[in-house]
Amino acid sequence: MGTERYSISKNDLFALAHNALSVELLEDGYYCALRFAKEQEPGYSTHPLYRAMAKTSASVCLRFQSLSDVTIHLKRYNQSLLPKKGEPVIDFTTLYPHALDLSETFDLIYAGNDVVHLPLQSDQIPIAKGNLVSLYLPMHHQIGFRIEGAVQPVAKEGKTLLCIGDSIVQGVGVRHPSASLCEQLSSLKGVQVINQGIAGALVNSKLIQKLDIPIHSILVALGTNDWSIRETLADLRGEMFALLGRIRKFYPLVPVTVLTPLWRSDIQQTQSMGSFSEMQKTLEYTTYCFPRVRVVNGLSLSLRDAYDDGFIHPDERGIRFLAKGLVSQLL
């Protein structure tokens, strides 16, 4: 294939990158699509897992019409999960019965055709002239990309849903990025989605910052990790109050939907802070102080026989059920 040998610029690449806040040029000449702003770094820099997961391009999709033969260059980066010297960190391996299975693919869709699942590896993808394509980037691995050839971007959706959450929002439990919760909400709702889910995340008000793009709706889906880790309900209540307070500070009129934690297999146990039910009620009670906040009960949207790990992460069928039930509840 005679690909035209010129690379697309940073600004033009951002026009192709749906569900991204920005595109960053890396030292090796590849680009990375970002879903967090620089101002949010203090909120995710407290743990090596958070730092690694925040660098991924979860829910980002490159969409374009090829005006010539095109080559997409992809590079997979190894992410360090080692803590900084003297950094106290949570050992997530002691909290969950299974190691996270983060196997996944690139998903390539030609207009009118089925999804092609491509291996997660550094590669080159040729696209013939005259094709309308969507390339979904992995949810849990940092990927760099370059594009050579002439392309025309596909217009982005006019409204944006900001999703703040943990591993379930980021996409853990789903093997293919085109089947993730945020992508399904994007498709069902007809919006662009900024996926700010981070595996292992707790309720953390420091992650709430004013973004440079208009936000039309916000989903908050946190709490299940807090139930495993935090000591008291008062601590959880204070953090959730602070998080919602910052949302109202930066987005005073934007409607917010709080999704309480989904079913998990140890739901009958009692953690240090109390029962699962007490944790859910605490999250709900905190929302009463804030206008335009709706609470959706996660238990009602959980398919208990559709879990990837049999414990905490719904599989693709469970996520489809969640997305269909949730989309009608989003404010």
Side-chain angles (χ1 to χ4, degrees):
M1 182 185 298
T3 305
E4 298 182 31
R5 305 302 294 179
Y6 61 87
S7 293
I8 298 173
S9 70
K10 178 179 177 179
N11 288 340
D12 289 339
L13 278 176
F14 180 61
L16 309 182
H18 292 236
N19 304 332
L21 285 180
S22 63
V23 171
E24 178 183 47
L25 177 62
L26 304 176
E27 292 181 355
D28 57 6
Y30 282 79
Y31 291 87
C32 181
L34 303 179
R35 56 196 180 99
F36 289 94
K38 184 68 175 177
E39 294 77 13
Q40 294 177 289
E41 187 172 349
Y44 64 74
S45 63
T46 57
H47 194 285
L49 177 63
Y50 300 163
R51 290 193 291 269
M53 292 297 100
K55 292 180 180 179
T56 70
S57 301
S59 298
V60 175
C61 180
L62 305 178
R63 290 191 171 104
F64 60 85
Q65 175 86 34
S66 57
L67 303 180
S68 70
D69 289 347
V70 170
T71 300
I72 306 174
H73 300 264
L74 300 170
K75 182 176 180 179
R76 177 180 174 180
Y77 296 90
N78 293 320
Q79 298 158 276
S80 174
L81 295 179
L82 296 177
K84 298 177 182 178
K85 185 176 180 180
E87 180 181 44
V89 297
I90 300 166
D91 184 1
F92 287 104
T93 62
T94 65
L95 299 174
Y96 303 107
H98 308 287
L100 291 181
D101 183 353
L102 300 182
S103 58
E104 57 178 332
T105 62
F106 292 97
D107 286 356
L108 179 65
I109 302 178
Y110 289 86
N113 293 306
D114 294 334
V115 182
V116 178
H117 302 305
L118 302 174
L120 179 60
Q121 61 187 22
S122 299
D123 205 352
Q124 296 181 17
I125 302 175
I127 307 293
K129 179 181 178 180
N131 280 291
L132 180 63
V133 299
S134 298
L135 178 66
Y136 293 85
L137 301 182
M139 299 171 289
H140 319 116
H141 300 83
Q142 185 181 8
I143 295 296
F145 57 88
R146 292 187 292 110
I147 298 179
E148 293 180 339
V151 301
Q152 179 177 319
V154 174
K156 299 178 182 181
E157 297 289 355
K159 293 186 176 182
T160 299
L161 167 66
L162 173 62
C163 293
I164 301 163
D166 49 34
S167 55
I168 296 171
V169 168
Q170 184 176 351
V172 175
V174 178
R175 299 283 169 257
H176 308 301
S178 60
S180 69
L181 174 62
C182 286
E183 173 52 31
Q184 292 193 54
L185 293 177
S186 174
S187 178
L188 292 168
K189 196 76 174 174
V191 295
Q192 183 170 212
V193 174
I194 301 300
N195 182 342
Q196 293 202 335
I198 298 179
L202 306 177
V203 177
N204 179 4
S205 62
K206 292 181 180 179
L207 274 174
I208 309 301
Q209 300 288 342
K210 179 66 173 177
L211 302 180
D212 288 336
I213 64 172
I215 299 297
H216 299 85
S217 182
I218 297 174
L219 171 66
V220 178
L222 290 161
T224 198
N225 294 310
D226 297 79
W227 188 56
S228 300
I229 294 169
R230 293 193 190 276
E231 292 295 323
T232 68
L233 290 170
D235 187 18
L236 174 62
R237 182 167 52 249
E239 289 294 335
M240 189 65 176
F241 192 88
L243 183 144
L244 292 174
R246 285 180 67 83
I247 288 177
R248 277 292 159 257
K249 173 184 176 181
F250 297 126
Y251 306 100
L253 301 178
V254 174
V256 177
T257 302
V258 172
L259 174 67
T260 61
L262 306 183
W263 179 88
R264 45 189 286 170
S265 64
D266 60 353
I267 195 172
Q268 298 301 327
Q269 296 181 14
T270 299
Q271 302 286 5
S272 297
M273 71 163 58
S275 69
F276 190 89
S277 176
E278 289 174 315
M279 175 269 293
Q280 285 203 307
K281 289 177 181 176
T282 296
L283 292 173
E284 180 176 354
Y285 292 162
T286 0
T287 68
Y288 294 168
C289 299
F290 300 93
R292 303 198 73 191
V293 177
R294 171 181 290 173
V295 178
V296 178
N297 190 319
L299 292 180
S300 68
L301 299 180
S302 302
L303 271 187
R304 303 183 184 189
D305 63 343
Y307 274 67
D308 179 69
D309 52 10
F311 174 50
I312 199 171
H313 296 108
D315 60 18
E316 290 186 15
R317 184 166 68 92
I319 288 296
R320 283 196 301 272
F321 181 82
L322 171 61
K324 289 178 181 178
L326 182 58
V327 72
S328 63
Q329 299 294 319
L330 292 173
L331 291 171

